[in-house]
Amino acid sequence: NAGVTQTPKFQVLKTGQSMTLQCAQDMNHEYMSWYRQDPGMGLRLIHYSVGAGITDQGEVPNGYNVSRSTTEDFPLRLLSAAPSQTSVYFCASSRNRGYEQYFGPGTRLTVT
Amino acid sequence: QKEVEQDPGPLSVPEGAIVSLNCTYSNSAFQYFMWYRQYSRKGPELLMYTYSSGNKEDGRFTAQVDKSSKYISLFIRDSQPSDSATYLCAMSENTGNQFYFGTGTSLTVIP
């Protein structure tokens, strides 16, 4: 099993550009989530999904969209990038709700 | 006020020491409590997972939850240099859908 994979590993965007961060898991997990990690703020939940076709907002959803068309994939879309979205983004998945989440390696995003 | 408070450290201990890491929280509805370990430039990995109050032990690691004080702890016995990492606490209400993380405590174990 590859576990949770994220692409790209690094990305630099200009303000106003859009992009999609990819996340995939091969463990047949129903629950998937996206977090951002900033110094002094810890991990904060952006969006989560409890199964294909079902998504919901977390603590900091503004400026981000998600969809879940398959069990395996959970992409995160930045609609119009802003410098405040400079962060490290982690995707995670879990068999049962958010317990025992497996995290991906992260995407380091810089918005200039 | 943040949902979860965690002393960022850094914490530096000699090899073999007992380490105590702590988090406090404000939401009395939290029922699930977790500890993650994160090495530099990696994703977090789950260490321990407890439900409600009480203790849980796994090898050199012990997790304690005191819901009356809204306080959780992680103890590491016989600490090793490989334990050097950032430790994150996380917690959730009964639904288990939204988890709130502490900011992490940076630990260095000196050989």
Side-chain angles (χ1 to χ4, degrees), chain A residues 30-89:
Chain A
E30 290 295 324
Y31 181 95
M32 295 186 74
S33 57
W34 275 103
Y35 292 86
R36 59 178 291 174
Q37 187 171 36
D38 303 290
M41 301 296 290
L43 281 159
R44 291 180 292 168
L45 182 64
I46 304 171
H47 286 284
Y48 67 94
S49 168
V50 298
I54 306 168
T55 63
D56 206 346
Q57 297 180 351
E59 197 180 348
V60 288
N62 292 343
Y64 308 95
N65 271 0
V66 292
S67 59
R68 183 100 179 268
S69 55
T70 67
T71 299
E72 294 78 21
D73 300 297
F74 190 43
L76 178 72
R77 279 182 290 277
L78 279 70
L79 308 173
S80 177
S84 61
Q85 293 179 304
T86 293
S87 187
V88 182
Y89 290 85

Side-chain angles (χ1 to χ4, degrees), chain A residues 31 37 97-101, chain B residues 34 36 38 94 96-97 103:
Chain A
Y31 181 95
Q37 187 171 36
R97 297 298 184 187
Y99 321 134
E100 302 184 78
Q101 293 188 68
Chain B
M34 298 182 177
Y36 285 84
Q38 185 175 25
N94 238 349
N97 285 338
T103 52

